[in-house]
């Protein structure tokens, strides 16, 4: 798994590539936590390069959305591929997280 | 030898049931799925169920013991199905005691516990648990080929 963080005002885009599983989820959680700690609470995860996730990955997403919202921001997902969407749907996460087809749409969803 | 036998293949990995070995267990199932030339959607489901099941053994089955015991992960593939078998020597596991995940709970009440087992039972066609003698558990996960979700 690779992670690239990019500031796209007024948001922070975290671009993730590869598998988010029990081997990599802690690294993702730490990266997202650092952004929230730095005050970057309008977060977007670009998942267009993520081909696999398990409950370990969902743990990182759940912790992040809770922290971002309690800090007055949000954590939104962009470009979710069908297999990962299936996991989000099975767990009911599609009803608690906002999903957008692409990063541009997710950036535009935050007030400027 | 019948066609079914010629097409069948079984592979096994035995390793310590500790978190540091999760990468080896996942790499084993990835390689086995690739060798079996499984449809990507089927391979995804098999990997997901296997990761959740072996993680359950590592984080719960062997938690609290003096040292982790072994996990034997077996992958069988033939023309009709993929069968993943996971043997451990952990205390008896009771799948019916797992508090089910609630996919409709509001955000504040969401928890990840129970979600892994929920995935196992959702993505596989048949999930069987047996207590082994004199100790341990056997979990058998079956994915039928050609079956739709």
């Amino acid at each position: 798994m690779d992670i690239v963080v990019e500031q796209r005002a007024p948001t922070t885009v975290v671009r993730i590539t590869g598998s988010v599983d029990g081997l990599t989820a802690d690294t993702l959680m730490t990266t997202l936590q650092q952004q929230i700690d730095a005050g970057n609470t309008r977060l977007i995860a670009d998942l267009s390069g993520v081909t696999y996730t398990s409950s370990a990955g969902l743990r990182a997403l759940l912790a992040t959305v809770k922290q971002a919202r309690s800090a007055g921001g949000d954590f939104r997902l962009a470009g979710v591929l069908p297999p990962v969407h299936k996991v989000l749907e099975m767990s009911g996460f599609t009803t608690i997280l906002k999903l957008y087809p692409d990063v541009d749409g997710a950036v535009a969803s935050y007030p400027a | 030898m019948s066609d079914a036998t010629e097409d069948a293949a079984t592979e096994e990995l035995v390793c310590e049931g500790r978190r540091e070995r999760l990468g080896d267990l996942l790499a084993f199932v990835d390689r086995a799925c690739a060798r079996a030339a499984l449809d990507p959607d089927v391979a995804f489901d098999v990997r997901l169920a296997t990761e959740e099941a072996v993680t359950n053994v590592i984080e719960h089955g062997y938690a609290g013991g003096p040292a982790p015991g072994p996990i034997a992960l077996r992958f069988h593939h033939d023309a009709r199905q993929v069968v993943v078998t996971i043997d451990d020597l952990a205390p008896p596991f009771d799948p019916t005691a797992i508090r089910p995940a609630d996919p409709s709970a509001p955000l504040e009440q969401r928890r990840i516990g129970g979600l892994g087992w929920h995935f196992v039972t959702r993505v596989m066609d048949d999930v069987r648990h047996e207590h082994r003698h004199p100790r341990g558990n056997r979990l058998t996960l079956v994915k039928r080929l050609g079956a739709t979700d």
Side-chain angles (χ1 to χ4, degrees):
Chain A
M1 180 193 68
D2 291 318
I3 304 174
V4 176
V5 180
E6 182 192 352
Q7 302 302 328
R8 275 193 59 181
T11 70
T12 300
V13 179
V14 179
R15 192 166 67 243
I16 308 155
T17 311
S19 289
V20 184
D21 53 27
L23 305 172
T24 59
D26 286 351
T27 302
L28 176 61
M29 181 112 88
T30 303
T31 303
L32 293 167
Q33 176 77 59
Q34 284 169 343
Q35 293 304 316
I36 293 172
D37 291 347
N40 299 325
T41 59
R42 292 174 168 187
L43 279 173
I44 295 165
D46 177 0
L47 298 183
S48 59
V50 174
T51 50
Y52 174 87
T53 191
S54 61
S55 65
L58 297 193
R59 189 186 304 274
L61 301 185
L62 182 65
T64 303
V65 70
K66 283 182 174 175
Q67 289 166 15
R69 286 183 188 171
S70 68
D74 200 9
F75 178 49
R76 301 176 183 178
L77 308 183
V80 178
L81 298 175
V84 173
H85 192 274
K86 181 173 89 168
V87 174
L88 293 173
E89 210 157 43
M90 281 193 293
S91 54
F93 273 40
T94 48
T95 61
I96 55 175
L97 285 160
K98 294 191 175 104
L99 277 64
Y100 298 87
D102 53 37
V103 170
D104 287 346
V107 171
S109 73
Y110 282 101
Chain B
M1 196 182 286
S2 72
D3 287 344
T5 308
E6 283 172 14
D7 290 343
T10 302
E11 305 173 53
E12 186 176 38
L13 173 69
V14 181
C15 69
E16 264 190 307
R18 60 171 69 240
R19 198 173 159 77
E20 292 76 11
R21 300 306 303 269
L22 179 62
D24 297 321
L25 291 158
L26 294 181
F28 169 82
V29 79
D30 283 344
R31 280 196 302 273
C33 287
R35 268 198 285 272
L38 296 183
D39 175 274
D41 290 343
V42 173
F44 184 96
D45 289 348
V46 170
R47 188 194 211 261
L48 179 60
T50 306
E51 179 184 344
E52 301 295 355
V54 298
T55 299
N56 189 51
V57 174
I58 293 168
E59 294 188 351
H60 302 291
Y62 286 134
I71 290 179
L73 175 60
R74 196 157 44 252
F75 180 99
H76 171 84
H77 160 249
D78 61 34
R80 295 177 298 110
Q81 60 187 1
V82 173
V83 181
V84 174
T85 312
I86 299 157
D87 289 349
D88 66 50
L89 293 178
F93 163 61
D94 179 5
T96 62
I98 296 175
R99 195 174 141 208
D102 179 4
S104 62
L107 177 63
E108 307 72 45
Q109 291 162 25
R110 280 309 176 109
R111 48 182 199 89
I112 296 296
L115 207 49
W117 186 250
H118 176 67
F119 290 161
V120 171
T121 56
R122 280 288 301 272
V123 301
M124 300 306 275
D125 294 306
D126 192 12
V127 176
R128 296 190 297 271
H129 172 266
E130 302 156 61
H131 296 296
R132 296 167 69 214
H133 296 288
R135 63 196 176 109
N137 302 273
R138 169 167 291 174
L139 192 61
T140 305
L141 312 174
V142 180
K143 186 77 175 174
R144 281 188 278 279
L145 302 177
T148 53
D149 284 348

